[in-house]
Amino acid sequence: MSQVFRVVNQYYDDFESYRHVFKLGNFRFLTCIFLMLLLIVSVLWRLQVISISFINVDNSVKTSFVFILEFLFVFSCFSLNDLRDKQVVSNMQRKLKTNEKRIEKLKSLWLQKTIDIEVNEYLSLATELDSMLVLRKKHSGSYLSSLVNVMPFIYSSDSKNRILALFIAASAATVSLSIAAGANINDVFLVINELGGAQILKYVFLAVFIIFAMVMGIKYTAWMICTALYLMSDKLKNINDVDEFRVSLFIRQLLASHTLKKAKVMAVDILRP
C-alpha cells in the first residue's frame, strides 16, 4: 500500500499543490496576501471596529471601498490559480513529453503512464482507496492526525446547509418579532405600494449581490489561509504519509478517467423464422 501512497502524493505534487506559487518571491501571491489583509482591515473599518483618524468619509464610501477591494482580491485569487494551472501544464508537457495543453487530458496521460493497470480498472482502485479511507478513519489512533481534520470545522460543503438554516431561522425570528411589535400583512402591502415594483427589485438584486460578495470574500479568504496551513503541514510529512484530502482528489481523478471495458457484441439473427 505504501507504493499507492507514493503515487497519490506524487499526483498531488504534480497537479494539485500550490507550493510552486505560494512563495514570497511570487508577485501574484504577495498581491493576494496584501489585498486580503487590506480587505480584512477595510471590513473592520466599515463595521467601526477600528478607526482611521486621517480618513474621514461616510459609510457609503466605506462600503464601496470594501466591495472594490473584494473584487480585486477575488480576481487576484483567480489569477493565482491560473498561474498554478499554467505551471502544471508546462511541467507535465515536459515530463510526459507531449504538446497537450488540457489539464484533464494531462491527468489521464499521467495516470496511464504511472499506474500499471488498465483504464477500465480505475473504478476498482478508487473503491479500494475509498474503503481504506473509511477503515483508516474508523481505526485512527489519534483525534487530530493532520491539519486537514481541522478544515471541515472552518469550511466545508455542508456549511451551505447550515448557513441556509441560520438564514431561515433569522428570517423567522424577524417575522415573529415584527408580529409581536404589532406588524401585520397590511404593513407589508403598504411598503410595497410605497416603494413600487422597480424599487423592490432593485433592493432584492442589491441584497443578492451583497450576500454573493460576502460569500465569495469569506470563501477565498478561508481558501488562502487553509492552503497556506496545509502547505506548512507538508513539511512534517514523509513520502509515505497520505491524508484524506489527497486521496479524495486522487479518487476523483480516477473516476473521471475511468472507462468501461468494451463489450463483445454478438451478431444475432433476429429475422430467424
Side-chain angles (χ1 to χ4, degrees):
M1 188 61 72
S2 61
Q3 183 179 1
V4 177
F5 290 166
R6 292 188 182 188
V7 172
V8 171
N9 285 330
Q10 189 61 50
Y11 169 80
Y12 177 81
D13 290 338
D14 285 345
F15 290 101
E16 307 292 347
S17 177
Y18 284 86
R19 62 188 178 90
H20 296 297
V21 294
F22 271 55
K23 291 183 176 181
L24 295 179
N26 184 0
F27 176 76
R28 296 193 193 187
F29 175 66
L30 292 178
T31 301
C32 279
I33 294 295
F34 175 73
L35 289 173
M36 182 183 71
L37 295 177
L38 200 58
L39 176 61
I40 293 174
V41 171
S42 66
V43 170
L44 295 177
W45 180 43
R46 173 60 183 85
L47 297 176
Q48 298 181 351
V49 176
I50 62 174
S51 61
I52 303 177
S53 57
F54 58 89
I55 301 179
N56 186 17
V57 295
D58 57 25
N59 288 333
S60 61
V61 176
K62 292 181 181 179
T63 302
S64 300
F65 186 65
V66 169
F67 282 119
I68 292 173
L69 280 177
E70 185 168 2
F71 171 78
L72 293 175
F73 170 62
V74 172
F75 179 79
S76 68
C77 289
F78 280 117
S79 176
L80 195 62
N81 272 291
D82 181 66
L83 177 62
R84 194 280 305 267
D85 291 345
K86 288 180 178 178
Q87 289 185 355
V88 166
V89 171
S90 178
N91 293 335
M92 288 301 101
Q93 283 180 335
R94 183 175 60 256
K95 185 175 182 178
L96 300 175
K97 298 179 181 179
T98 178
N99 294 324
E100 180 60 53
K101 296 182 179 180
R102 294 170 297 173
I103 291 183
E104 289 302 317
K105 184 62 178 178
L106 289 170
K107 289 180 178 180
S108 298
L109 292 174
W110 187 93
L111 288 175
Q112 293 174 21
K113 292 189 176 183
T114 305
I115 305 177
D116 190 22
I117 61 175
E118 299 294 331
V119 293
N120 53 34
E121 297 177 354
Y122 287 173
L123 181 59
S124 300
L125 178 57
T127 303
E128 291 179 10
L129 288 173
D130 186 63
S131 300
M132 180 209 68
L133 282 179
V134 174
L135 290 173
R136 187 172 180 172
K137 188 174 182 180
K138 180 179 180 181
H139 301 284
S140 176
S142 61
Y143 176 71
L144 186 61
S145 58
S146 69
L147 286 174
V148 179
N149 298 72
V150 182
M151 291 184 186
F153 294 97
I154 301 175
Y155 176 80
S156 68
S157 58
D158 295 335
S159 300
K160 300 174 184 177
N161 297 328
R162 292 195 292 268
I163 293 173
L164 179 60
L166 288 173
F167 176 76
I168 294 175
S171 301
T174 302
V175 172
S176 300
L177 292 174
S178 299
I179 294 175
N184 54 55
I185 192 64
N186 293 325
D187 296 327
V188 177
F189 290 122
L190 180 62
V191 172
I192 294 175
N193 290 330
E194 290 180 353
L195 293 177
Q199 193 72 7
I200 291 176
L201 287 176
K202 176 182 175 182
Y203 285 135
V204 169
F205 282 119
L206 180 61
V208 171
F209 173 77
I210 292 174
I211 294 173
F212 174 77
M214 290 174 59
V215 170
M216 292 293 289
I218 293 172
K219 175 182 177 180
Y220 280 99
T221 300
W223 170 75
M224 286 285 294
I225 296 173
C226 290
T227 302
L229 291 175
Y230 188 77
L231 287 174
M232 292 170 59
S233 72
D234 278 350
K235 300 182 182 299
L236 304 177
K237 297 185 178 75
N238 60 51
I239 194 170
N240 290 322
D241 286 340
V242 72
D243 53 52
E244 183 177 349
F245 176 63
R246 295 189 178 194
V247 177
S248 296
L249 291 174
F250 189 70
I251 289 176
R252 184 190 307 171
Q253 188 54 44
L254 287 174
L255 296 176
S257 302
H258 175 75
T259 58
L260 296 175
K261 188 175 181 180
K262 293 182 179 179
K264 296 181 179 179
V265 180
M266 299 179 61
V268 179
D269 185 7
I270 60 173
L271 298 178
R272 183 180 302 168

